[in-house]
Amino acid sequence: MIRVLVADDQALVRGSFRVLVDTAPDLESVGEASNGAEAVDLARRERPDVVLMDVRMPVMDGIEAARRIAADPTTADVRVLILTTFDLDEYVFSALHAGASGFLLKDTRPAELLEAIRVVASGDALLAPGVTRRLIEEFTRRPAPGGVPVASALADTTEREREVLTLVGLGLSNTEIAEHLHVSLSTAKTHISRLLMKLNARDRAQLVIAAYDAGLVKPAPSGT
């Protein structure tokens, strides 16, 4: 079972997400938090697999909560899925370096939300690729809030691994990477695993950021 914690300051939203989660045979809700501080406390106590985290909440916002969850060894394995509108709050850019594992629009269809939770729990991919791509491209035009340079870490990677990192940054799935490079799916996954280790990345989301930070992928021109 994938254990899910819901954090949102609106009781109706929390309840709706929790009911939806509990309809899936492989998911179960383990609690609700009305602000970021409660989310951090509950994450430490319940050790959920995924936290559905709203951005704007009282007491502590979702980004600071994500940062604390990612930094705490007791919750290092907890994945945070940021729930956002497409207004793209300033906070969301910071979330990329705070340790968030993905982003999801609040108007996502129920079936897509459930699948997104499964994907984030596996640590295998970013969500809503089009949205995430635009988020990251906008992020790379702004000063990184305390981002870790990746140039030195990339020196330890092979040419093929840097090629794979570029493809990850472009939003390709493992299957698409394997097809592009004419290698097996298991080989593509091995390259991803080695990149996660060498770049000290939590998940695929941070690999995408690394690809942009290293200049392997260039943001699209403004207005495109």
Side-chain angles (χ1 to χ4, degrees):
M1 294 290 285
I2 298 174
R3 305 173 73 251
V4 182
L5 171 65
V6 178
D8 195 292
D9 62 336
Q10 298 183 43
L12 182 58
V13 173
R14 290 197 309 273
S16 297
F17 281 139
R18 189 166 187 175
V19 168
L20 177 62
V21 166
D22 287 333
T23 63
D26 58 334
L27 308 179
E28 66 173 342
S29 60
V30 295
E32 299 179 16
S34 61
N35 59 65
E38 288 183 4
V40 173
D41 289 341
L42 278 171
R44 289 170 178 161
R45 185 165 72 242
E46 298 292 341
R47 308 285 182 85
D49 298 297
V50 177
V51 179
L52 289 180
M53 186 82 77
D54 188 24
V55 173
R56 297 178 179 178
M57 293 185 289
V59 184
M60 180 188 297
D61 65 53
I63 304 308
E64 179 58 26
R67 182 178 293 107
R68 295 192 184 193
I69 289 171
D72 189 336
T74 64
T75 51
D77 293 332
V78 176
R79 304 296 180 183
V80 176
L81 173 55
I82 297 291
L83 297 170
T84 182
T85 63
F86 203 38
D87 294 330
L88 301 187
D89 318 277
E90 292 289 325
Y91 301 121
V92 175
F93 303 109
S94 299
L96 292 169
H97 279 292
S101 295
F103 301 88
L104 196 65
L105 299 182
K106 282 192 171 181
D107 61 357
T108 297
R109 295 177 179 176
E112 293 175 349
L113 170 60
L114 296 179
E115 184 58 27
I117 292 170
R118 298 181 183 104
V119 170
V120 166
S122 72
D124 189 43
L126 289 170
L127 307 178
V131 173
T132 305
R133 180 80 59 80
R134 290 174 64 180
L135 268 171
I136 295 170
E137 289 175 350
E138 180 63 23
F139 165 81
T140 57
R141 299 188 183 102
R142 303 168 181 236
V148 179
V150 298
S152 58
L154 281 178
D156 295 330
T157 61
T158 65
E159 182 178 350
R160 175 48 62 91
E161 286 169 347
R162 289 190 290 274
E163 187 176 4
V164 170
L165 182 61
T166 301
L167 297 175
V168 171
L170 290 171
L172 274 66
S173 67
N174 288 349
T175 300
E176 291 169 334
I177 290 172
E179 293 174 351
H180 183 88
L181 298 178
H182 304 291
V183 298
S184 68
L185 180 57
S186 63
T187 297
K189 289 181 177 179
T190 297
H191 286 310
I192 298 293
S193 297
R194 288 175 177 168
L195 283 167
L196 289 169
M197 180 181 65
K198 290 182 178 182
L199 299 181
N200 194 29
R202 273 173 58 88
D203 51 35
R204 202 182 187 94
Q206 293 192 339
L207 288 183
V208 175
I209 294 304
Y212 277 89
D213 283 348
L216 297 176
V217 180
K218 302 294 184 182
S222 297
T224 62

